[in-house]
């Protein structure tokens, strides 16, 4: 099993190190990750600057590790096009420090790197831990991620997908199991903090806590808050096929 491992928190983040250690028991891992944190970069690409790939040492028995002067999507793309000698069997991204559920998956660099794999028809998995503290233990989440990955690989699932895994940050024995979910619906309130700098000029800082709108137990965020590891299948095709049908009928008369 050849595995490409990316993230958006940067190559030195504890989440990617924990996940690499776990994945090394399952396959041959190549790490290609940003040289610094690039969270919330979505699928953005570096176009106006050169992209530098530096081979670095890594604290896990991986095949190779590269630090990239770009975004998570840059990392996955350059790995799949240039750095890897052959197409991997699996693209994994994470473990992100912070959940990636509901509408947040659109902003996530972690999910975006996995999508670069799915765009190329490769089975891809993004993994996030439901905490904003990098001091948490990521090893339990890494074990659950590997459990999900092994099941996906063994199950012969649709490859050109991102399987988005979110792990609750609770004690190991409190995790209730894996639940297959759909993306939930949240609403953000007080999204910008209005502040003043030492010169009296105003500025803004994005913030906000999600308010769960859809309380259905099959939603990703509801499952994680209930103590389950959430696994949501995502596909690159965003077409709304209900509207596609009704609009096709409607516009055929124009
Ligand atoms: Mn991140």
């Amino acid at each position: 099993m050849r595995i490409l491992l990316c993230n958006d928190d940067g190559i030195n983040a504890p989440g990617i190190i924990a996940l690499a250690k776990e994945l090394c028991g399952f396959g041959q891992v190549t790490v290609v990750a940003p040289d610094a944190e690039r969270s919330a970069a979505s699928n953005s690409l570096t176009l106006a600057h050169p992209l530098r790939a530096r081979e670095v040492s890594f604290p896990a028995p991986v095949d190779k590790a590269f630090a990239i002067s770009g975004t998570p999507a840059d990392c996955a793309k350059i790995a799949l096009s240039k750095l890897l000698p052959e197409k991997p069997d699996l693209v994994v991204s994470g473990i992100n420090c912070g959940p990636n559920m509901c509408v947040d998956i659109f902003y996530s660099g972690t999910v975006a790197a996995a999508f670069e794999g799915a765009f190329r028809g490769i089975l891809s998995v993004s993994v996030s831990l439901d905490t904003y503290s990098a001091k948490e233990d990521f090893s339990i989440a890494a074990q659950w991620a590997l459990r999900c990955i092994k099941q996906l690989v063994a199950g012969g699932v649709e490859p050109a997908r991102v399987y988005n895994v979110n792990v609750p940050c609770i004690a190991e024995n409190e995790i209730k199991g894996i639940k297959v979910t759909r993306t939930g619906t949240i609403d953000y309130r007080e999204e910008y903090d209005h502040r003043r700098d030492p010169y009296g000029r105003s500025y803004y800082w994005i913030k906000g806590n999600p308010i769960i709108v859809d309380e259905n137990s099959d939603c990703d965020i509801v499952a994680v808050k209930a103590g389950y590891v959430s696994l949501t299948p995502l596909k690159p095709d965003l077409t709304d096929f209900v509207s596609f049908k009704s609009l096709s009928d409607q516009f055929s008369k124009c």
Side-chain angles (χ1 to χ4, degrees):
M1 179 68 60
R2 293 178 307 268
I3 304 166
L4 168 63
L5 178 59
C6 305
N7 79 343
D8 78 356
D9 290 340
I11 195 156
N12 298 314
I16 196 168
I17 295 167
L19 192 49
K21 285 177 179 167
E22 200 65 33
L23 290 174
C24 282
F26 185 57
Q28 183 188 321
V29 180
T30 304
V31 174
V32 183
D35 58 9
E37 187 186 342
R38 303 286 198 291
S39 288
S42 188
N43 280 88
S44 61
L45 297 175
T46 301
L47 300 178
H49 306 284
L51 202 56
R52 299 191 191 274
R54 192 164 44 91
E55 192 170 348
V56 294
S57 61
F58 192 83
V62 298
D63 190 41
K64 281 181 178 177
F66 296 90
I68 308 294
S69 65
T71 65
D74 284 328
C75 292
K77 280 176 90 75
I78 198 167
L80 296 169
S81 313
K82 272 280 174 201
L83 301 177
L84 297 187
E86 51 194 335
K87 188 175 170 178
D89 305 298
L90 186 65
V91 174
V92 184
S93 182
I95 299 169
N96 190 59
C97 182
N100 280 305
M101 305 186 283
C102 306
V103 73
D104 289 345
I105 60 175
F106 281 97
Y107 305 98
S108 169
T110 307
V111 177
F115 261 114
E116 294 298 329
F119 293 161
R120 286 160 183 76
I122 304 166
L123 173 58
S124 299
V125 180
S126 47
V127 187
S128 306
L129 183 61
D130 188 26
T131 178
Y132 289 104
S133 168
K135 294 194 173 92
E136 292 288 349
D137 179 10
F138 286 78
S139 65
I140 305 301
Q143 288 168 21
W144 279 99
L146 183 59
R147 211 168 292 177
C148 290
I149 288 165
K150 281 182 171 169
Q151 186 60 45
L152 289 165
V153 170
V157 295
E158 184 66 45
R161 297 287 183 274
V162 170
Y163 297 89
N164 185 37
V165 174
N166 282 274
V167 181
C169 192
I170 54 180
E172 189 176 5
N173 59 1
E174 286 174 11
I175 296 181
K176 291 177 182 161
I178 301 164
K179 193 166 203 167
V180 175
T181 58
R182 61 188 172 92
T183 50
T185 308
I186 50 172
D187 192 14
Y188 279 106
R189 302 277 158 78
E190 295 180 322
E191 283 183 273
Y192 288 89
D193 209 6
H194 189 194
R195 303 176 181 187
R196 289 204 180 272
D197 70 15
Y199 306 99
R201 298 171 300 202
S202 78
Y203 68 98
Y204 297 88
W205 205 295
I206 194 167
K207 66 166 193 176
N209 285 315
I211 294 156
I212 299 172
V213 174
D214 186 344
E215 298 275 1
N216 197 301
S217 63
D218 68 1
C219 292
D220 50 10
I221 192 166
V222 179
V224 167
K225 298 301 174 201
Y228 290 95
V229 174
S230 164
L231 192 159
T232 313
L234 305 172
K235 61 186 171 66
D237 184 354
L238 299 177
T239 309
D240 168 11
F241 283 97
V242 175
S243 297
F244 174 77
K245 178 75 177 69
S246 64
L247 285 176
S248 298
D249 294 344
Q250 188 186 330
F251 279 81
S252 68
K253 296 166 196 117
C254 291

